[in-house]
Amino acid sequence: MGSVKSQADNRSRERTPGEQDLVFAAAILDKDRKATAEFVGRYSDSIYSYVRHRLIPRSDLVDDLVQDVFLAAWDNLDKFRGASSLQGWLLGIARHKVESYYRASLREPDPIESDRDSDSVPVDDPRLEEALDRERMEARTRRVLESLPETYSLALLWRYWEKRTARDIARDIGKTEKAVERTLARARDEFRRRWNHGE
């Protein structure tokens, strides 16, 4: 009897990480409460961190979006095939949810029409790009982003944090590339103005 148990233990130890994830997913699908609790406990911190960093300054939306990620995961867990890790699969869902939020928010009309000529703002300002990359986690950058209209902060985050092109953003939100470039130009101009004035 002991040898049968040890053979079963050896087989479970021989499973690849992908196979272990498939077994874990099957236990959750079988409504195993312990597995379900472990699923949330194991992945919630990384999903929360991923979403929080991409929704700055809208930290008030993080909990709801993380909950949406896990609900979508439970609804689609039967489609998980182990091609990636379970964590990678969840992060893919999180990325989709964040981008859906960006798309929905950026489809709204611009809240502020700048009186300044947006064509006078350079499309690519290396200093601003470096500042966004280098300082994105710093308190000053957060304060400036939080002070911007949401459309502007989301446009900047999507372009510089998520490294999306104006063409990609335009395609995803159903606007022209020129309209996205104008929004980005206004957002950069406003970010720079507030950054330089110490907001």
Side-chain angles (χ1 to χ4, degrees):
M1 185 76 169
S3 64
V4 171
K5 182 179 186 312
S6 89
Q7 286 173 357
D9 288 344
N10 287 338
R11 278 196 302 273
S12 70
R13 274 189 230 114
E14 292 169 6
R15 286 189 181 120
T16 66
E19 290 170 334
Q20 291 170 8
D21 281 348
L22 285 170
V23 169
F24 187 44
I28 297 164
L29 288 168
D30 286 341
K31 310 239 185 288
D32 180 325
R33 288 183 182 186
K34 186 177 176 186
T36 303
E38 185 181 342
F39 179 66
V40 174
R42 187 185 294 184
Y43 300 115
S44 60
D45 286 348
S46 60
I47 299 302
Y48 187 90
S49 177
Y50 178 89
V51 171
R52 182 174 54 85
H53 284 101
R54 282 155 180 81
L55 287 187
I56 291 170
R58 293 303 309 270
S59 56
D60 57 310
L61 300 175
V62 174
D63 288 337
D64 287 344
L65 205 141
V66 169
Q67 185 176 13
D68 287 348
V69 170
F70 279 99
L71 289 173
W74 280 313
D75 287 345
N76 294 286
L77 198 55
D78 60 331
K79 297 178 181 76
F80 176 70
R81 297 290 177 256
S84 66
S85 69
L86 201 47
Q87 180 169 354
W89 184 74
L90 278 168
L91 286 170
I93 294 172
R95 184 176 61 251
H96 175 74
K97 293 290 184 185
V98 167
E99 290 191 355
S100 292
Y101 170 72
Y102 284 179
R103 273 192 294 277
S105 297
L106 289 174
R107 281 188 181 120
E108 299 297 318
D110 286 346
I112 295 177
E113 286 299 324
S114 175
D115 292 335
R116 300 181 200 99
D117 180 11
S118 65
D119 292 334
S120 68
V121 180
V123 173
D124 289 315
D125 182 344
R127 289 173 300 157
L128 178 62
E129 290 180 27
E130 289 170 11
L132 281 171
D133 288 339
R134 187 179 60 249
E135 304 282 340
R136 69 179 178 212
M137 295 304 293
E138 298 297 322
R140 184 171 179 208
T141 301
R142 284 194 182 126
R143 277 198 310 274
V144 173
L145 285 170
E146 286 171 0
S147 73
L148 291 173
E150 185 177 27
T151 299
Y152 290 175
S153 63
L154 287 174
L156 291 172
L157 286 168
W158 212 356
R159 171 67 183 91
Y160 296 105
W161 197 323
E162 298 295 327
K163 308 289 188 206
R164 300 292 297 273
T165 65
R167 179 176 293 168
D168 290 340
I169 295 169
R171 184 191 63 237
D172 284 351
I173 65 174
K175 289 189 176 182
T176 66
E177 188 175 347
K178 189 74 173 166
V180 170
E181 287 171 352
R182 279 195 303 270
T183 298
L184 284 166
R186 289 187 192 117
R188 283 190 293 264
D189 188 36
E190 192 61 22
F191 183 97
R192 185 184 302 106
R193 187 185 71 74
R194 296 182 190 212
W195 181 277
N196 291 338
H197 287 86
E199 290 187 30

